[in-house]
């Protein structure tokens, strides 16, 4: 779907503001972009769950005085959050994982002092309504229902409002509620980046390709199964026995129970694969690449990489150096055996979500929500994610109005 960004001149004269849960028009005589409201308090603060330091679940703090997001660039939009999805990344970020790299992304010139990211709002998935658009945004207008995967260096969705680049936002699938929609963007963007950008798969070349998903019952796995099946691929999944019904219901062709003995032995009895998506990491690298078809362009893509851990432990420069050495060494080692070793990363992309939205509305992909929590239950939602072994996604309802 084509996206066009031009100057939205009409918006310099009109804008929408949020007061008491509703969107209301207001005239801006001087053409400036101000946050207007029937309450002066509403114009500067909002409700949110924040952290003021890194740590365990006790660092989560509810506040009614979080700073209201501001449009700083003409291609940005403010989204009123209806629902927010949680991911394992939120647990890791709460504990400080990736803090050094994310700090550099937020402040590349190191102008601000350490800890300037606090109070930090977590939450990488959002489904909601456009409240305000920057002057260069024409693909969206106030009142549009949208969804997005929020980059980890930006303030998150566990708040009433969030500001994003229009390139990171997409129109929400019409067939999904906000709760169901909030379960998909982050895992969709991650799977798309790993399988399409890194793995080289797409709707035109996936027919009859054999794909193995290691750890297929979580958010990324359940999305990847459906996307690959809609493209005609043969999908094999590893998961526990109690998740077999779920993944088969999503279209998995073969399911291997990793709790019933060494999973690699069972996988070696199957025909070799064209692509492997690894959500597990660790010891799987020692045997997983031998499952690929040699000298056929087959790729192993792992989402479990030491990149952020290296920069946290060694500092930015040394960490990146160590990371480059590690991935180059592994890639060279395996290319001599006729297979490709790759790292996959989350990449925010509104255009990718446009394609996913079409697939959802066509009935090819459905949301998999394991449990829904209210905004007051955010700490309980984090506890649920932290326990692991999710069967789909955990979603928090932020606002309930339509």
């Amino acid at each position: 779907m084509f996206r066009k960004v031009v100057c939205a001149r009409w918006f310099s004269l009109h804008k929408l503001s949020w007061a008491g849960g509703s969107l209301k028009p207001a005239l801006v005589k001087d053409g400036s972009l101000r946050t207007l409201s029937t309450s002066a308090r509403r114009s500067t603060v909002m409700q949110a769950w924040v952290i003021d330091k890194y740590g365990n679940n006790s660092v989560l703090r509810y506040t009614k005085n979080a700073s209201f997001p501001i449009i700083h660039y003409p291609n940005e939009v403010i989204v009123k959050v209806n629902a927010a999805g949680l991911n394992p990344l939120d647990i890791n970020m709460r504990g400080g994982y990736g803090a050094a790299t994310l700090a550099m992304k937020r402040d590349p010139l190191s102008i601000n002092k350490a800890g300037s990211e606090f109070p930090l709002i977590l939450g990488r998935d959002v489904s909601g309504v456009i409240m305000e658009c920057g002057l260069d945004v024409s693909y969206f207008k106030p009142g549009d229902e949208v969804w997005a995967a929020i980059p980890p260096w930006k303030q998150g969705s566990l708040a009433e409002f969030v500001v994003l680049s229009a390139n990171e936002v997409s129109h929400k699938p019409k067939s999904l509620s906000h709760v169901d929609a909030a379960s998909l963007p982050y895992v969709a963007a991650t799977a798309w980046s790993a399988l399409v950008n890194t793995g080289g798969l797409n709707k035109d070349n996936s027919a009859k390709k054999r794909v193995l998903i290691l750890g297929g019952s979580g958010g990324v796995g359940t999305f990847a199964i459906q996307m690959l099946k809609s493209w005609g691929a043969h999908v094999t999944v590893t998961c526990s026995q109690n998740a077999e019904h779920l993944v088969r219901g999503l279209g998995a062709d073969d399911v291997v129970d990793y709790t019933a003995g060494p999973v690699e032995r069972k996988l070696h009895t199957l025909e070799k694969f064209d692509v492997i998506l690894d959500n597990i990491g660790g010891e799987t690298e020692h045997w997983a690449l031998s499952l690929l078809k040699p000298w056929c362009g087959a790729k192993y893509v792992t989402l479990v990489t030491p990149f952020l851990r290296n920069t946290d432990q060694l500092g930015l420069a040394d960490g990146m150096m160590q990371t480059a050495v590690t991935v180059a060494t592994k890639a060279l080692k395996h290319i001599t055996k006729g297979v490709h070793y790759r790292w996959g990363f989350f990449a925010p992309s509104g255009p990718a979500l446009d394609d996913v939205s079409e697939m959802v509305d066509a009935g090819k992909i459905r949301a998999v929500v394991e449990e829904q929590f209210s905004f007051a239950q955010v700490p309980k939602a984090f506890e649920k994610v932290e326990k692991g072994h999710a069967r789909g996604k955990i979603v928090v309802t932020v606002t309930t109005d339509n």
Side-chain angles (χ1 to χ4, degrees):
M1 187 178 296
F2 178 65
R3 287 170 174 258
K4 185 179 180 183
V5 179
V6 296
C7 182
R9 295 184 182 277
W10 64 270
F11 192 70
S12 66
L13 298 177
H14 297 83
K15 71 180 294 298
L16 294 182
S17 65
W18 184 79
S22 63
L23 292 167
K24 297 183 178 180
L27 182 65
V28 184
K29 294 182 179 179
D30 61 1
S32 63
L33 293 178
R34 295 195 301 271
T35 304
L36 301 182
S37 172
T38 56
S39 164
R41 179 178 174 80
R42 270 291 176 199
S43 67
T44 57
V45 298
M46 63 179 179
Q47 300 179 69
W49 282 90
V50 303
I51 63 173
D52 301 302
K53 61 181 180 180
Y54 298 118
N56 58 26
N57 224 32
S58 65
V59 301
L60 289 168
R61 175 174 66 88
Y62 170 76
T63 179
K64 294 182 179 180
N65 298 302
S67 296
F68 196 96
I70 297 172
I71 289 179
H72 290 286
Y73 301 99
N75 69 331
E76 290 183 330
V77 297
I78 293 178
V79 176
K80 173 176 168 282
V81 181
N82 283 70
L86 294 185
N87 297 275
L89 178 63
D90 293 300
I91 303 299
N92 294 334
M93 288 182 62
R94 186 199 64 194
Y97 177 70
T101 303
L102 297 178
M104 181 203 66
K105 183 66 177 177
R106 298 184 187 105
D107 184 23
L109 299 179
S110 299
I111 296 173
N112 299 316
K113 63 181 180 180
S116 62
E117 69 267 31
F118 300 120
L120 181 63
I121 302 172
L122 302 174
R124 298 302 106 198
D125 289 298
V126 61
S127 182
V129 178
I130 294 284
M131 171 192 167
E132 183 175 304
C133 296
L135 290 175
D136 283 357
V137 177
S138 65
Y139 189 72
F140 303 101
K141 65 183 184 300
D144 284 353
E145 293 190 330
V146 296
W147 62 347
I150 304 173
W153 53 88
K154 293 188 176 183
Q155 293 285 36
S157 55
L158 291 175
E160 289 184 285
F161 301 92
V162 64
V163 63
L164 292 165
S165 164
N167 294 326
E168 297 161 351
V169 179
S170 169
H171 288 102
K172 178 182 76 66
K174 295 179 175 61
S175 58
L176 293 186
S177 67
H178 283 293
V179 169
D180 285 340
S183 71
L184 285 173
Y186 185 82
V187 296
T190 302
W192 188 280
S193 176
L195 292 171
V196 178
N197 300 343
T198 306
L201 298 176
N202 57 59
K203 63 181 179 180
D204 298 319
N205 69 3
S206 296
K208 299 182 180 180
K209 289 285 180 67
R210 290 181 54 80
V211 182
L212 169 62
I213 301 175
L214 298 170
S217 62
V220 173
T222 53
F223 176 86
I225 293 169
Q226 297 178 84
M227 182 175 74
L228 292 168
K229 289 305 299 178
S230 73
W231 290 347
H234 181 283
V235 180
T236 300
V237 171
T238 68
C239 64
S240 63
Q241 184 179 20
N242 60 15
E244 180 174 353
H245 179 73
L246 168 65
V247 298
R248 285 197 183 278
L250 297 174
D253 298 286
D254 295 318
V255 181
V256 177
D257 177 10
Y258 67 78
T259 66
V263 67
E264 60 269 29
R265 292 183 183 176
K266 298 179 182 179
L267 290 172
H268 274 292
T269 65
L270 303 177
E271 183 182 341
K272 289 186 180 293
F273 300 94
D274 298 286
V275 175
I276 295 176
L277 176 62
D278 186 0
N279 296 291
I280 306 298
E283 296 296 317
T284 57
E285 285 193 14
H286 296 164
W287 49 263
L289 283 98
S290 62
L291 300 171
L292 291 169
K293 298 176 181 177
W295 309 111
C296 296
K299 296 182 179 70
Y300 165 87
V301 182
T302 179
L303 294 172
V304 185
T305 77
F307 174 62
L308 293 179
R309 186 181 69 244
N310 285 344
T311 55
D312 285 342
Q313 294 177 350
L314 303 175
L316 193 58
D318 289 344
M320 293 183 70
M321 175 90 56
Q322 179 62 51
T323 297
V325 170
T326 300
V327 70
T329 300
K330 291 186 176 183
L332 182 60
K333 171 186 175 182
H334 293 292
I335 196 66
T336 60
K337 300 177 182 178
V339 296
H340 298 276
Y341 176 95
R342 297 285 187 271
W343 285 356
F345 296 96
F346 160 79
S349 173
L353 289 179
D354 288 343
D355 289 341
V356 173
S357 184
E358 291 180 2
M359 294 197 304
V360 170
D361 283 337
K364 297 177 180 179
I365 292 176
R366 66 180 175 89
V368 182
V369 177
E370 179 176 6
E371 193 167 352
Q372 177 182 339
F373 291 84
S374 70
F375 197 49
Q377 296 175 309
V378 163
K380 290 185 178 179
F382 269 77
E383 290 175 1
K384 179 70 176 180
V385 176
E386 197 162 12
K387 289 178 181 177
H389 302 289
R391 302 292 177 257
K393 289 291 291 293
I394 304 301
V395 177
V396 173
T397 302
V398 179
T399 57
T400 57
D401 55 303
N402 295 321

